[in-house]
Amino acid sequence: MMDAKVIRTEEQYIAYLDEVQALIAEDPKLNSKKSERLELLTVLLEAHENSKYPVESPDPVDAILFRMNEKGLKQADLVPYFGTSSRVSEVLNRKRPLTVQMIRALTIGLGISAETLIGASLPDAPINKRSVDWSKFPIKEMARRGWIENLGKVAKDNVEDLVKGFISDAGLQFGAASFRKTFSGEAETPTSRYALYAWLARVIQKARDKKSNLGRYETDVLSANYLKELAQLSRFDTGPLLAIEQLEKSGIAVVIEPALKGTLLDGAALKDSDGTPIISLTLRYDRIDHFWFTLVHEVAHIWKHVGNNEAFLDDLDTSSEDRKEAEANRLATEAFIPRVKWRRSDAYTTPSKDTIERFAKDLKIHPAVIAGRLRRESGNYSLFSDLVGQNQIRQLFPSDEKIEA
């Protein structure tokens, strides 16, 4: 395969389109050379089309809706291509971009060309200085939570300055072209970006309040063994509190901050401007298994992936093709249940309350984690509902902020 280059001619553009369609038809394995080339060519084609065909580019969602109408399909009929009914709804309502995996499935299953679908494969460009619409920040919810002043006391023309101050106080002020933090992970959509910046600013502010009580962070403190020791704290009733205490002794600030409305967010990992690592959890699902997997997933990001100008914002309901997300998932899974033990265990071969509890005792982890994995792998979330620890986490973290349900 030839080296991919910036597209400068129509012949090169057509050649890359043909190659993308051929690669999609081959369905290359994730992280293979062909898969990586497919992603690279997709980005190059997107950049070229945005610059040369800003108006004429076909709309991917309209193409999907047209094919649905043509074939008499309902949204439920698209679940095999998207994975879940919620993702179907989010894509069709333009709240979530298509992934490469979705594009492959739609191209093969519905016969929509990859050229058409590529336009939805990436989120919108980052907010830039000229395009920021301050009215799109969730100002009323921010005020209701006490993040900014009561709007009734602020002149309307000062609201923009108020929000600007809130964002810049967290170090998210504007650089030459964009906010200084760039987002990775699966939680960002074009419609959620403003709310996520506001939420992230609040997380950074709360983390700074903890800095005087944090230990010194050493880059070599995190390891697979550290993740395993953290995971084994799950077996205690107060394990979440013990885990946060351990992380903060290691110099990592942990913030519990419920998500803002309209965002599908489980957790985040980032560093403050001074290099302090920060983990935040939303407690989106009040379950023991979800808390622990999210926490260790974010710690894995701190260990392996987080740079000074990047924030990982995770929707763990989404099946991600990003290699960093895949690695964080693998590290978190391995910390709780090693691969060499999982498929040989009675909990896997003959799952029951007894086999789950025995395996959990052997691994020194909470049974909820094993029950959660069985539910996730089977896709049957009605299984072992009595073991996943419903309504056991939020009560450990009372909040003094008034958050409207």
Side-chain angles (χ1 to χ4, degrees):
M1 292 185 289
M2 297 176 60
D3 291 339
K5 299 179 180 179
V6 174
I7 299 172
R8 302 191 186 281
T9 66
E10 190 67 16
E11 291 76 13
Q12 187 184 3
Y13 171 68
I14 293 171
Y16 281 179
L17 277 178
D18 290 342
E19 187 176 352
V20 163
Q21 290 177 329
L23 287 169
I24 289 174
E26 289 185 39
D27 192 22
K29 291 184 178 180
L30 185 64
N31 295 330
S32 67
K33 289 184 178 180
K34 288 186 176 181
S35 175
E36 291 177 358
R37 183 166 179 83
L38 176 58
E39 292 183 23
L40 175 58
L41 292 180
T42 299
V43 172
L44 291 173
L45 287 167
E46 172 79 6
H48 179 74
E49 289 176 351
N50 282 346
S51 63
K52 192 167 184 179
Y53 309 113
V55 177
E56 292 79 12
S57 295
D59 182 86
V61 173
D62 287 344
I64 295 170
L65 292 172
F66 175 82
R67 190 56 53 88
M68 288 174 65
N69 182 62
E70 185 179 50
K71 292 180 173 290
L73 302 176
K74 298 179 181 179
Q75 286 196 20
D77 298 317
L78 298 188
V79 170
Y81 307 110
F82 291 83
T84 66
S85 58
S86 62
R87 286 182 213 157
V88 175
S89 178
E90 289 160 13
V91 170
L92 295 184
N93 286 293
R94 307 175 195 278
K95 294 181 178 179
R96 180 183 293 279
L98 290 171
T99 64
V100 173
Q101 184 177 351
M102 292 175 187
I103 291 172
R104 289 176 189 154
L106 291 168
T107 299
I108 296 170
L110 296 184
I112 304 173
S113 73
E115 177 184 354
T116 297
L117 294 172
I118 283 169
S121 64
L122 296 173
D124 289 350
I127 300 173
N128 61 54
K129 188 171 183 178
R130 295 178 181 176
S131 68
V132 172
D133 182 350
W134 293 97
S135 67
K136 289 186 177 180
F137 279 91
I139 297 170
K140 290 183 179 179
E141 190 175 1
M142 292 164 68
R144 186 166 57 247
R145 291 198 184 190
W147 298 1
I148 58 177
E149 292 181 45
N150 188 314
L151 296 181
K153 300 178 181 179
V154 179
K156 189 173 182 179
D157 57 355
N158 290 331
V159 169
E160 177 177 319
D161 290 337
L162 195 64
V163 178
K164 280 183 181 178
F166 176 79
I167 298 296
S168 64
D169 283 349
L172 297 176
Q173 65 266 29
F174 300 104
S178 65
F179 283 113
R180 290 183 180 175
K181 293 287 183 190
T182 56
F183 290 170
S184 297
E186 298 295 328
E188 184 191 11
T189 68
T191 57
S192 70
R193 189 173 295 118
Y194 287 92
L196 288 174
Y197 269 111
W199 180 87
L200 196 62
R202 179 59 175 169
V203 165
I204 293 170
Q205 290 169 1
K206 290 179 74 171
R208 288 175 180 171
D209 290 340
K210 291 176 167 249
K211 284 188 180 179
S212 61
N213 296 318
L214 295 180
R216 180 180 175 83
Y217 178 69
E218 302 288 349
T219 55
D220 61 353
V221 69
L222 297 180
S223 64
N225 192 55
Y226 186 100
L227 296 188
K228 182 178 179 180
E229 291 177 356
L230 198 66
Q232 290 182 343
L233 292 176
S234 66
R235 69 187 188 273
F236 301 110
D237 290 342
T238 58
L241 300 177
L242 295 173
I244 290 174
E245 181 181 354
Q246 177 61 40
L247 287 165
E248 295 192 338
K249 284 182 179 178
S250 301
I252 301 171
V254 183
V255 172
I256 305 296
E257 182 60 53
L260 289 164
K261 290 182 179 179
T263 62
L264 301 173
L265 182 63
D266 294 300
L270 63 147
K271 288 183 180 178
D272 200 351
S273 55
D274 65 356
T276 301
I278 302 171
I279 287 171
S280 185
L281 306 179
T282 66
L283 307 187
R284 177 180 170 193
Y285 300 117
D286 188 3
R287 299 196 319 264
I288 290 174
D289 67 311
H290 189 265
F291 170 88
W292 282 103
F293 186 82
T294 305
L295 179 70
V296 178
H297 178 99
E298 302 306 341
V299 176
H301 275 319
I302 295 292
W303 176 25
K304 292 288 189 178
H305 308 134
V306 172
N308 291 331
N309 296 315
E310 187 173 32
F312 284 82
L313 298 165
D314 290 315
D315 170 9
L316 297 181
D317 281 348
T318 298
S319 177
S320 175
E321 296 186 0
D322 181 86
R323 68 182 65 187
K324 293 179 180 179
E325 291 301 327
E327 184 176 28
N329 281 336
R330 178 181 60 78
L331 290 169
T333 300
E334 189 74 8
F336 289 104
I337 310 173
R339 284 173 292 175
V340 295
K341 293 186 177 183
W342 176 230
R343 292 187 180 271
R344 299 177 184 177
S345 69
D346 290 341
Y348 176 81
T349 57
T350 55
S352 67
K353 183 175 181 180
D354 287 342
T355 58
I356 289 171
E357 290 181 342
R358 284 200 302 270
F359 192 40
K361 186 176 181 180
D362 177 52
L363 295 175
K364 299 180 181 178
I365 63 173
H366 199 288
V369 177
I370 299 171
R373 180 163 178 175
L374 287 166
R375 284 154 54 103
R376 186 168 61 253
E377 289 189 355
S378 68
N380 184 354
Y381 288 89
S382 64
L383 293 174
F384 305 115
S385 296
D386 58 330
L387 293 182
V388 293
Q390 295 277 7
N391 305 316
Q392 297 296 308
I393 298 297
R394 289 178 190 161
Q395 62 184 356
L396 297 174
F397 302 100
S399 174
D400 56 359
E401 293 182 355
K402 295 180 179 179
I403 300 173
E404 187 176 288

